[in-house]
Amino acid sequence: METGKEAVGHADFRQRTFDFALRIIRLVDALPDNKICRTLGNQLLRSGTSIGANARAARRGRSRAEFIAKMGIVEEEADETIYWLELLVAAEKIAPKKIEFLLKELNEILSITVASIKTARQPKRATA
């Protein structure tokens, strides 16, 4: 059973991933209009918005295994999003300073995701 603290934590994580997706949308929308930025931007848009969608689906999972599987997708999409952001910087299509906050937030989301997966994989303890 979920405690009040866990419910607040889930709501906070849900809001953070939603806000992150909005920031990704705005970033992609602001990229230069050329073939490279459209291609990389589409990849970034897909992975960056998928994080929140899959986190939401994980929360609604019908089983622990389904939760773990969906959170595994969240982890993969977050890692992929880091890749596209780093590639845009390396290709000099976006200034590193412009994505500093995004990378910080993404690394925090990734840490929460990994911790959630580890916790979910632990065997259930018997309650008295």
Side-chain angles (χ1 to χ4, degrees):
M1 182 161 192
E2 207 172 64
T3 66
K5 184 177 178 182
E6 288 170 334
V8 170
H10 291 301
D12 180 55
F13 187 69
R14 180 179 171 166
Q15 189 62 50
R16 284 178 79 170
T17 58
F18 185 85
D19 292 344
F20 180 81
L22 281 176
R23 288 185 183 100
I24 289 293
I25 291 167
R26 290 181 184 125
L27 174 68
V28 170
D29 195 41
L31 288 173
D33 188 20
N34 61 54
K35 186 177 180 178
I36 292 170
C37 288
R38 276 191 302 276
T39 301
L40 297 180
N42 285 336
Q43 293 290 97
L44 176 61
L45 187 62
R46 186 198 53 73
S47 65
T49 56
S50 177
I51 294 166
N54 280 291
R56 186 177 216 159
R59 183 80 180 94
R60 302 233 184 270
R62 293 175 297 243
S63 67
R64 183 186 291 213
E66 190 174 336
F67 173 82
I68 292 168
K70 287 290 185 184
M71 289 302 280
I73 295 170
V74 171
E75 181 181 7
E76 290 171 9
E77 295 293 344
D79 189 54
E80 183 178 331
T81 301
I82 291 170
Y83 174 80
W84 296 122
L85 288 169
E86 289 174 346
L87 190 58
L88 282 164
V89 168
E92 299 178 347
K93 301 299 177 187
I94 193 163
K97 194 78 170 157
K98 196 160 190 148
I99 63 161
E100 199 172 84
F101 175 80
L102 283 173
L103 285 174
K104 181 182 179 295
E105 180 67 2
L106 191 49
N107 279 304
E108 289 179 19
I109 288 170
L110 195 50
S111 293
I112 293 166
T113 301
V114 170
S116 294
I117 292 168
K118 285 181 181 177
T119 299
R121 284 185 176 148
Q122 292 176 354
K124 284 187 177 180
R125 292 184 222 163
T127 56

